């Protein structure tokens, strides 16, 4: 078998076999294939499609060439919950949902990713508060036993193929492909095996699936692979038609997550709705309690600050800042107010563009070696459907570097205001 022949085969729209995909992933993991050939191959999938079987073979190979940790066979309190989103703008659900669930005594263990394309990544957000994100099996188990929660990234042992492909997809515009997304997510979910996997499939202008129909198509891929690998998945489809909450960025999203966990939930109706939807589902399914009892438990976790303290402990245990003692270091050097030049009802044209603006402020990567500016971000003062007066502030942009007026123009060009 030969890598170039496989690229040629797929570029002519022929389906790849299980053996060919296995060969690709094996050699990628062994470091035998240069990045330019891997991206050429990714591009053939991106352009010519990756069918259900190819996506399954890809998941299988990424899982096969990974260290596998079956948490259900270790002495860890069950159930063990994992939750993953297909990616969005301002999506800080993991930072909020996981400590709520963990504070109720349920184990949560999860592999996450960095920012991908225009979307943010949990790993970057954790790193913004000093967390270590690569952990060995022994360390993961120790974290779970101590504090019943961890979130880690792929490593050179744990789903190394996804670590390599994920980075390259991010930098080469080959993210939004059903097979590549489904295999990337599920290889991670099956490598670190808990008892329950919850997936949040996003659709809208801030997601990789632009429409509800596309999200259903991605669900089809996820279910197909889940069935082939004999794993149950619980999937929710949710809207990413506008950023989730008001903050987009790294430290600024952590700040919003802390504000929510501190009890200020009513300021973020969209986050609240999604958090309760997931948390109730998890509690009803795993604790066998009623909907209203589940809701009461979640209210209690937030009101009593148990969830907030669990968040602080989680971050501290992952070697991050002790936020129970120190303030969040969100102190951007530059800020710029974006004011409306009209009165009327506001709507964003594209949520992905908000993610791109955040990246241009320094909050994301364009090249592989780019370092993220954790201070960079956007605070939305107005959301879709809000009335805005001329001269009123729509958003505040933050960065460690001087923010030029082009970025402000990009922001204003991305909104429509109708009377
Ligand atoms: N999350 C992942 O882990 N991978 C993707 O490709 C998209 C979202």
């Amino acid at each position: 078998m030969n890598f170039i022949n496989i690229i040629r085969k797929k570029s002519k729209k022929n389906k790849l076999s299980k053996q060919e995909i296995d060969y690709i992933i094996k050699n990628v993991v062994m470091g035998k294939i240069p990045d330019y050939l891997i991206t050429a191959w990714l591009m053939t999938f991106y352009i010519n499609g990756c069918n259900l079987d190819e996506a399954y073979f890809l998941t299988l190979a990424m899982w096969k060439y990974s260290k596998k940790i079956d948490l259900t066979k270790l002495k860890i309190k069950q159930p063990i919950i994992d939750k993953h989103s297909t990616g969005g703008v301002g999506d800080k659900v993991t930072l909020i949902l996981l400590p709520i669930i963990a504070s109720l005594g349920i184990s949560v263990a999860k592999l996450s990713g960095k920012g991908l394309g225009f979307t943010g990544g949990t790993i970057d957000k954790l790193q913004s508060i000093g967390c270590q994100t690569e952990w060995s099996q022994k360390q993961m188990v120790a974290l779970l036993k101590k504090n019943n929660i961890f979130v880690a990234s792929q490593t050179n042992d744990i789903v190394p193929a996804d670590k390599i492909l994920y980075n390259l997809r991010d930098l080469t515009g080959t993210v939004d492909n059903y097979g590549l997304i489904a295999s990337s997510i599920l290889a991670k979910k099956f490598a670190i095996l808990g008892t329950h996997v919850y997936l949040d499939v996003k659709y809208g202008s801030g997601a990789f699936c632009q429409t509800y129909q596309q999200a259903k198509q991605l669900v089809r891929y996820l279910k197909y692979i889940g069935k082939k690998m004999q794993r149950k998945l619980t999937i929710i489809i949710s809207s990413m038609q506008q950023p989730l909450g008001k903050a987009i960025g790294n430290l600024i999203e952590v700040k919003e997550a802390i504000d929510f966990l501190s009890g200020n939930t009513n300021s973020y109706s969209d986050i609240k709705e999604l958090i309760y939807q997931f948390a109730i589902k998890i509690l009803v399914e795993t604790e066998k309690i009623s909907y209203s009892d589940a809701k009461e438990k979640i209210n209690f976790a937030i009101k009593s600050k148990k969830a907030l303290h669990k968040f602080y402990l989680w971050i501290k245990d992952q070697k991050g800042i002790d936020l129970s003692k120190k303030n969040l270091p969100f102190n951007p050097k530059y800020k710029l107010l974006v004011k409306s030049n009209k009165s009327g009802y506001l709507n964003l044209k594209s949520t992905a563009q908000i993610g791109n603006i955040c990246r241009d402020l320094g909050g994301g990567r364009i090249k592989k070696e780019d370092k993220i500016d954790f201070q960079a971000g956007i605070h939305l003062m107005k959301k879709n459907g809000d009335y805005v007066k001329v001269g009123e502030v729509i958003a505040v942009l933050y960065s460690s570097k001087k923010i030029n007026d082009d970025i402000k123009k990009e922001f204003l060009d991305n909104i429509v205001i109708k009377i």
Side-chain angles (χ1 to χ4, degrees):
M1 241 180 272
N2 166 308
F3 206 89
I4 303 212
N5 286 344
I6 297 176
I7 295 176
R8 281 217 191 92
K9 182 175 172 187
K10 188 68 207 180
S11 69
K12 291 187 184 135
K13 302 194 178 159
N14 296 305
K15 294 183 185 71
L16 298 188
S17 67
K18 185 175 175 186
Q19 289 72 21
E20 284 163 332
I21 291 179
D22 188 277
Y23 172 87
I24 291 171
I25 297 302
K26 183 175 163 192
N27 283 284
V28 164
V29 168
M30 288 188 342
K32 290 198 173 163
I33 319 285
D35 286 359
Y36 58 86
L37 279 184
I38 304 175
T39 51
W41 165 70
L42 284 169
M43 200 50 95
T44 62
F45 260 179
Y46 188 74
I47 294 171
N48 292 333
C50 168
N51 73 15
L52 290 169
D53 278 323
E54 288 171 318
Y56 163 55
F57 300 148
L58 194 51
T59 314
L60 199 61
M62 288 207 271
W63 175 78
K64 181 173 159 192
Y65 297 106
S66 164
K67 190 179 181 106
K68 290 169 267 299
I69 307 173
D70 187 347
L71 297 170
T72 65
K73 301 243 161 70
L74 303 172
K75 281 188 189 135
I76 289 162
K77 189 170 171 256
Q78 296 190 17
I80 306 162
I81 306 297
D82 189 348
K83 173 259 154 204
H84 203 95
S85 153
T86 56
V89 178
D91 185 351
K92 64 227 22 115
V93 167
T94 294
L95 295 179
I96 300 171
L97 179 70
L98 266 46
I100 292 178
I101 297 300
S103 75
L104 296 169
I106 297 172
S107 309
V108 282
K110 164 173 166 59
L111 282 189
S112 261
K114 294 183 172 183
L116 195 57
F118 52 81
T119 68
T122 303
I123 292 301
D124 295 325
K125 291 168 208 172
L126 290 176
Q127 288 180 354
S128 78
I129 39 176
C131 286
Q132 178 180 321
T133 52
E134 291 205 6
W135 296 90
S136 68
Q137 164 170 350
K138 212 170 141 200
Q139 290 171 320
M140 285 182 195
V141 172
L143 286 170
L144 269 182
K145 286 194 172 156
K146 178 154 184 262
N147 197 25
N148 69 311
I149 178 168
F150 80 77
V151 174
S153 60
Q154 316 96 319
T155 68
N156 293 338
D157 295 325
I158 303 169
V159 224
D162 186 53
K163 186 176 178 192
I164 297 164
L165 300 187
Y166 195 97
N167 274 333
L168 292 174
R169 286 168 59 216
D170 180 33
L171 302 167
T172 57
T174 47
V175 175
D176 47 336
N177 171 282
Y178 301 126
L180 296 178
I181 296 175
S183 57
S184 161
I185 293 176
L186 293 181
K188 287 195 279 289
K189 305 300 99 179
F190 301 150
I192 306 283
L193 201 63
T195 58
H196 293 72
V197 176
Y198 292 84
L199 299 175
D200 184 6
V201 175
K202 302 273 186 208
Y203 73 93
S205 74
F208 298 125
C209 297
Q210 294 283 299
T211 63
Y212 186 77
Q213 280 316 313
Q214 288 177 359
K216 277 177 70 176
Q217 186 66 356
L218 179 53
V219 169
R220 216 176 126 232
Y221 272 73
L222 293 163
K223 282 193 172 160
Y224 184 81
I225 300 168
K227 198 166 165 209
K228 285 275 183 190
M229 297 193 73
Q230 298 172 350
R231 301 279 172 217
K232 184 177 173 281
L233 307 169
T234 303
I235 306 177
I236 286 176
I237 298 182
S238 73
S239 168
M240 187 36 80
Q241 220 40 292
Q242 61 173 330
L244 199 58
K246 298 173 186 170
I248 303 108
N250 289 291
L251 278 168
I252 196 170
E253 284 193 41
V254 176
K255 185 168 184 276
E256 189 164 271
I258 292 175
D259 195 32
F260 188 97
L261 289 169
S262 302
N264 193 11
T265 58
N266 289 335
S267 299
Y268 313 101
S269 56
D270 52 354
I271 302 181
K272 186 172 182 180
E273 195 184 319
L274 200 55
I275 292 289
Y276 274 71
Q277 193 182 358
F278 267 107
I280 289 172
K281 212 171 185 39
I282 292 170
L283 291 178
V284 167
E285 262 178 34
T286 60
E287 304 275 281
K288 312 274 179 260
I289 56 174
S290 68
Y291 179 98
S292 56
D293 284 352
K295 195 167 172 193
E296 212 170 289
K297 276 191 167 221
I298 302 157
N299 287 339
F300 170 76
I302 297 172
K303 268 202 191 122
S304 65
K305 304 263 193 300
K306 272 180 161 248
L308 179 67
H309 290 295
K310 181 58 85 173
F311 175 83
Y312 289 156
L313 267 181
W314 164 34
I315 300 306
K316 192 172 137 219
D317 280 357
Q318 289 207 199
K319 301 195 195 308
I321 301 169
D322 183 353
L323 293 163
S324 68
K325 297 209 176 96
K326 283 190 184 159
N327 288 335
L328 189 79
F330 179 62
N331 43 24
K333 192 159 174 211
Y334 294 97
K335 96 175 189 187
L336 193 140
L337 306 182
V338 183
K339 295 183 183 167
S340 180
N341 42 24
K342 264 197 208 168
S343 295
Y345 293 93
L346 174 140
N347 260 302
L348 293 173
K349 286 185 193 161
S350 155
T351 298
Q353 179 63 356
I354 298 291
N356 289 332
I357 292 171
C358 178
R359 182 201 57 208
D360 293 345
L361 287 165
R365 297 175 193 82
I366 298 175
K367 294 190 290 329
K368 205 171 177 179
E369 56 282 2
D370 283 351
K371 267 209 157 4
I372 290 192
D373 172 9
F374 292 133
Q375 302 289 342
I378 300 171
H379 188 256
L380 297 176
M381 308 300 282
K382 299 282 173 188
K383 301 240 316 181
N384 284 354
D386 285 350
Y387 189 80
V388 55
K389 287 192 201 138
V390 64
E392 212 179 339
V393 178
I394 303 170
V396 187
L397 312 182
Y398 296 102
S399 183
S400 298
K401 60 180 188 204
K402 208 159 187 302
I403 305 169
N404 66 40
D405 278 345
D406 292 352
I407 297 192
K408 182 165 148 185
K409 183 172 177 313
E410 262 179 63
F411 196 100
L412 286 169
D413 284 349
N414 190 41
I415 55 170
V416 267
I417 294 177
K418 285 197 185 140
I419 316 276

